[in-house]
Amino acid sequence: MSTTQILKTRRDPLANLEPEHETFGERITRLREDLGINKAELARLTGITRAAVGQYESRDNADKCQVQHLTVLARSFGVSIDYLVNGKEAAPYIDVETLAKGLESARDLLP
């Protein structure tokens, strides 16, 4: 399935905003599920390893997340790093084409 096809099935992230007590891992899981993709697909689309995605989702360990990975994940989900880390900023809704371009360009940030 292409990036654009995946994103066309995406739900509006504003519809599922959770309270601020949501952890970093819970937020990443929710945003990934909003895209309708599994961990392996997120890893493939972003260039982040499957193991790293699993670690980030498993607990509140934003402090363990590499800065490059934060940037890639934020771009991939169409949110700011601030929202990704602490959940205090509303996740903006971005059209599918813009989000697909961000997801594809985010992969280029990794070495």
Side-chain angles (χ1 to χ4, degrees):
M1 185 179 268
S2 74
T3 303
T4 302
Q5 289 171 322
I6 290 170
L7 295 175
K8 285 188 178 183
T9 63
R10 165 180 188 256
R11 290 175 269 164
D12 180 352
L14 293 174
N16 293 319
L17 288 180
E18 297 293 329
E20 289 181 19
H21 69 271
E22 181 180 58
T23 67
F24 173 73
E26 291 168 339
R27 202 166 9 268
I28 289 179
T29 301
R30 179 177 49 79
L31 290 166
R32 176 183 54 75
E33 289 173 349
D34 285 349
L35 287 176
I37 59 175
N38 61 36
K39 293 175 190 176
E41 289 171 312
L42 179 60
R44 181 182 62 79
L45 291 168
T46 61
I48 297 172
T49 67
R50 165 68 175 79
V53 170
Q55 287 176 347
Y56 298 153
E57 287 192 7
S58 68
R59 56 193 172 282
D60 186 20
N61 58 0
D63 59 325
K64 305 271 190 280
C65 189
Q66 296 178 26
V67 174
Q68 290 174 320
H69 288 182
L70 285 173
T71 303
V72 169
L73 289 168
R75 280 191 188 177
S76 299
F77 294 134
V79 299
S80 69
I81 292 174
D82 187 42
Y83 175 77
L84 194 61
V85 172
N86 64 40
K88 293 187 179 182
E89 178 182 79
Y93 186 80
I94 299 175
D95 66 275
V96 170
E97 286 76 25
T98 301
L99 195 55
K101 287 177 187 173
L103 187 59
E104 291 166 358
S105 70
R107 192 177 352 198
D108 296 333
L109 295 173
L110 293 176

